[in-house]
Amino acid sequence: MVKKAPRRTAERILEVSLELFNRFGEPNVSTTLISAELGISPGNLYYHYPAKDELINSLFERYEKALGDLLQASDGVRNVEDAWFFLHSLFEIVWEYRFLYRDLNDLLSKNRLLETRFQGVLKNKTRAIRSLLSGMSRAGAIDLDARELEPTANCMVVLLTYWLSFEYVRDPRHALEPDNAQKALLRGAQHVLNLLAPYLEAGQRQHLLQLTGAYQQPA
């Protein structure tokens, strides 16, 4: 039997770093902890990633690519069902890289690359949400005045960006644990879509209530 080649050390470092950053928060995870978790020497880690920021930047690049690939799908959203699936998929990516959102202000204040690139992320999110709203409007799923499109898109992006922070404040000990992922994602998608409720065609509004009814929870 041919043995599988071991995963490259650089790849393992990124996987373990992401897991630790998500679990404990990036400021609370040192490169010493990462190397200990991997069972490698700090020197081996530094060989692949000479600074902690390089680890963070590499993970951000992965997040940025996954997000960019998904945002292109916003052009195909025509109704509530499409929007629900799109937003849930978007929150899944946010959850996978949740340390970026949990520690966003701290990361941006000390990492120039993230400061500039995350602004691009916000622009791309906003562009995708505008496309989503335009597609639903053309399909007759929503009745949205052109003057309301931009502020509505901005409100949706604010929720997309800070929803996990809200979840964390509500329950700091448990909110970002893996066992709570599905409920957090569903609540996030629900609240973003609820911003469209006043503009939805009657049948679409009813469908939204059916989709989200099982997940209604008081804030």
Side-chain angles (χ1 to χ4, degrees):
M1 178 182 294
V2 178
K3 291 184 178 180
K4 292 182 179 180
R7 286 177 299 168
R8 294 170 55 244
T9 301
E11 178 73 17
R12 290 176 55 233
I13 291 171
L14 285 181
E15 290 176 1
V16 169
S17 297
L18 179 60
E19 180 184 347
L20 293 174
F21 290 163
N22 282 340
R23 190 193 312 168
F24 300 115
E26 179 274 330
N28 302 315
V29 177
S30 65
T31 52
T32 302
L33 176 59
I34 295 169
S35 59
E37 186 76 11
L38 283 159
I40 63 175
S41 68
N44 196 353
L45 188 149
Y46 294 141
Y47 172 79
H48 295 282
Y49 299 98
K52 189 179 177 184
D53 275 357
E54 293 193 25
L55 273 172
I56 296 167
N57 294 344
S58 294
L59 290 171
F60 178 79
E61 287 173 2
R62 290 184 171 201
Y63 157 77
E64 195 175 34
K65 182 181 185 308
L67 183 69
D69 291 344
L70 175 63
L71 291 181
Q72 295 178 28
S74 65
D75 293 337
V77 174
R78 295 291 180 269
N79 51 47
V80 162
E81 186 85 26
D82 294 340
W84 174 262
F85 180 77
F86 174 79
L87 290 170
H88 193 272
S89 299
L90 185 52
F91 271 110
E92 284 182 336
I93 294 175
V94 170
W95 181 268
E96 184 179 358
Y97 294 91
R98 57 193 176 276
F99 83 93
L100 290 170
Y101 289 84
R102 171 179 174 170
D103 306 311
L104 183 58
N105 291 346
D106 183 66
L107 285 168
L108 296 185
S109 70
K110 63 186 183 183
N111 187 314
R112 178 61 179 167
L113 183 141
L114 258 61
E115 179 185 342
T116 56
R117 297 273 284 274
F118 213 92
Q119 291 173 4
V121 164
L122 288 180
K123 289 178 182 177
N124 290 336
K125 280 184 184 177
T126 305
R127 188 181 301 115
I129 295 300
R130 284 199 300 262
S131 176
L132 177 151
L133 294 174
S134 296
M136 292 181 71
S137 182
R138 288 193 300 272
I142 58 173
D143 182 11
L144 185 66
D145 189 290
R147 293 168 296 182
E148 296 176 296
L149 191 147
E150 190 70 23
T152 302
N154 286 336
C155 287
M156 293 175 74
V157 171
V158 169
L159 265 180
L160 285 166
T161 303
Y162 289 102
W163 175 253
L164 284 186
S165 295
F166 176 71
E167 289 277 330
Y168 183 70
V169 171
R170 288 178 63 198
D171 188 5
R173 294 181 181 273
H174 307 107
L176 301 187
E177 292 299 316
D179 289 346
N180 295 312
Q182 191 64 12
K183 289 183 179 179
L185 298 178
L186 289 168
R187 283 194 297 267
Q190 170 196 336
H191 283 282
V192 175
L193 267 181
N194 276 345
L195 290 173
L196 299 183
Y199 310 107
L200 287 171
E201 177 270 333
Q204 289 289 295
R205 187 181 300 113
Q206 185 61 36
H207 190 45
L208 174 61
L209 292 174
Q210 292 171 352
L211 285 171
T212 63
Y215 309 106
Q216 295 282 357
Q217 293 186 14

